[in-house]
Amino acid sequence: MKSAIFEKAGQIIIEEVEKPTLERDDDVIIKVVRACVCGSDLWSYAHGDDKAAHSENSGHEALGIVEEIGSAITTVKPGDFVIVPFTHGCGHCDACLAGFDGTCDNHPGYSNWSSGFQAEYVRFHYGNWALVKIPGKPADYTEGMLKSLLTLADVMPTGYHAARVADVKPGDKVVVIGDGAVGQCAVIAAKMRGASQIVLMSRHKDRQEMALASGATAVVAERGPEGIAKVREILGGGADAALECVGTEASIEQALGVLHNGGRIGYVGVPHYNNRPLGSTFAQNITIGGGSASVTTYDKQILLKAVLDGDIDPGRAFTQTYSLNDIDQAYKDMQNRKTIKSMLVISE
Ligand SMILES: [Zn+2]
Ligand SMILES: [Zn+2]
């Protein structure tokens, strides 16, 4: 089968590799229908994060058709159309039961992230609970609907996670930091949860317009102290919640700066800092939550229905579509902000 390979920073190639096979009794082999490039893939491609040369692609979001199932799989069968999340919750540990399947207690190692999804087939481990069934088959849906369904593998639940862990409630004043696909989805999530004001921090006109169409009530282009002052002016004071969707220290500073004392941060940008002491937030009484999204929980409880009912349209973040062969262009265009998020058509 064809798979994208991370050749080196700035270069993704396509290679013929072995098709994955069942390795454990709770594995599922999936024929990929749609996949995409994530903002987090760009950390190694464009921003200097170390990743081994000529290694597996870091793609981790897909829609697909179940091709083969392990002997312990009872929830899906060959032919089923599924959302293939970037996480693998078991569905029965304390973390999963508490609604934190993105960091399932039963998963070994540093994280339970998927990888290798920019390919024709993937092996999905811990498949019994984590996969999310979509009614019907891909041909039943418009391309726009497929785009929205694809966001349910990562960015929409991730944006929703920021809003949930920041406990966004009806009437809240919310600030979203980051105008990429996750930031756009955080705007949608804040609106779903009833925020009365949603300010997006963004310097890009196309992204500002998209967020305004999704429910943002204002945009602020300024950064640093100037940006914080502008937000406070618009809100007539500090925000109740800040949703941090970037992953840098500067964006956390921004989040802390826009909140009133007692405000809440939900952070879902993959952190590129690692400061453990919490003392700096004591004087402000800040509540901080964040981590990998509870993809399966949110999809099953609320997001799949919201997409199928046409209540939300997160797929608009996919502003360009590519074939798997054009994967390098898909990365480059995202890096150069020619597209907010790149979708890959792998099969029909
Ligand atoms: Zn992602
Ligand atoms: Zn679990």
Side-chain angles (χ1 to χ4, degrees), residues 160 192 297-307 312:
Y160 193 86
M192 288 176 88
T297 293
Y298 301 150
D299 284 355
K300 287 181 178 175
Q301 286 183 352
I302 179 167
L303 295 177
L304 177 58
K305 183 174 186 317
V307 165
I312 59 172

Side-chain angles (χ1 to χ4, degrees), residues 218-271:
V219 290
V220 168
E222 291 84 354
R223 299 268 171 100
E226 214 186 328
I228 291 168
K230 189 83 184 282
V231 169
R232 286 175 167 274
E233 188 192 315
I234 290 169
L235 296 180
D240 300 300
L243 313 185
E244 189 280 316
C245 308
V246 180
T248 61
E249 218 165 334
S251 57
I252 289 286
E253 293 294 338
Q254 250 347 247
L256 285 167
V258 297
L259 293 175
H260 60 64
N261 289 349
R264 302 156 335 246
I265 293 181
Y267 72 102
V268 292
V270 181

Side-chain angles (χ1 to χ4, degrees), residues 105-344:
D105 282 339
N106 280 331
H107 200 281
Y110 166 70
S111 82
N112 68 352
W113 282 38
S114 303
S115 60
F117 282 15
Q118 291 152 356
E120 289 180 305
Y121 292 88
V122 301
R123 168 184 162 245
F124 190 86
H125 49 289
Y126 307 102
N128 215 34
W129 184 79
L131 289 168
V132 181
K133 250 206 282 200
I134 305 170
K137 52 186 191 306
D140 298 337
Y141 295 95
T142 63
E143 201 57 29
M145 187 59 100
L146 289 175
K147 286 178 179 172
S148 282
L149 291 168
L150 179 56
T151 67
L152 299 184
D154 179 351
V155 290
M156 186 60 229
T158 295
Y160 193 86
H161 193 60
R164 175 221 169 177
V165 295
D167 194 25
V168 171
K169 296 188 291 293
D172 274 355
K173 295 179 282 184
V174 176
V175 177
V176 175
I177 297 148
D179 62 3
V182 173
Q184 298 290 337
C185 291
V187 169
I188 294 171
K191 182 162 188 228
M192 288 176 88
R193 294 176 67 93
S196 63
Q197 293 188 66
I198 305 168
V199 181
L200 176 76
M201 308 205 68
S202 167
R203 291 188 284 203
H204 303 274
K205 191 142 185 51
D206 54 333
R207 294 163 191 243
Q208 295 175 348
E209 281 167 5
M210 186 175 290
L212 289 168
S214 299
T217 52
V219 290
V220 168
E222 291 84 354
R223 299 268 171 100
E226 214 186 328
I228 291 168
K230 189 83 184 282
V231 169
R232 286 175 167 274
E233 188 192 315
I234 290 169
L235 296 180
D240 300 300
L243 313 185
E244 189 280 316
C245 308
V246 180
T248 61
E249 218 165 334
S251 57
I252 289 286
E253 293 294 338
Q254 250 347 247
L256 285 167
V258 297
L259 293 175
H260 60 64
N261 289 349
R264 302 156 335 246
I265 293 181
Y267 72 102
V268 292
V270 181
H272 279 67
Y273 54 89
N274 205 12
N275 303 335
R276 294 207 79 131
L278 287 169
S280 67
T281 60
F282 185 86
Q284 284 178 280
N285 245 306
I286 298 298
T287 302
I288 300 179
S292 291
S294 313
V295 177
T296 304
T297 293
Y298 301 150
D299 284 355
K300 287 181 178 175
Q301 286 183 352
I302 179 167
L303 295 177
L304 177 58
K305 183 174 186 317
V307 165
L308 293 176
D309 289 351
D311 294 340
I312 59 172
D313 180 22
R316 59 171 61 142
F318 287 111
T319 49
Q320 295 287 344
T321 299
Y322 305 81
S323 70
L324 185 56
N325 285 330
D326 293 327
I327 181 85
D328 193 63
Q329 199 62 46
Y331 271 73
K332 273 203 174 60
D333 287 352
M334 234 172 112
Q335 177 190 351
N336 297 327
R337 293 182 178 272
K338 288 186 178 154
T339 177
I340 296 178
K341 191 165 173 67
S342 299
M343 184 166 81
L344 302 166

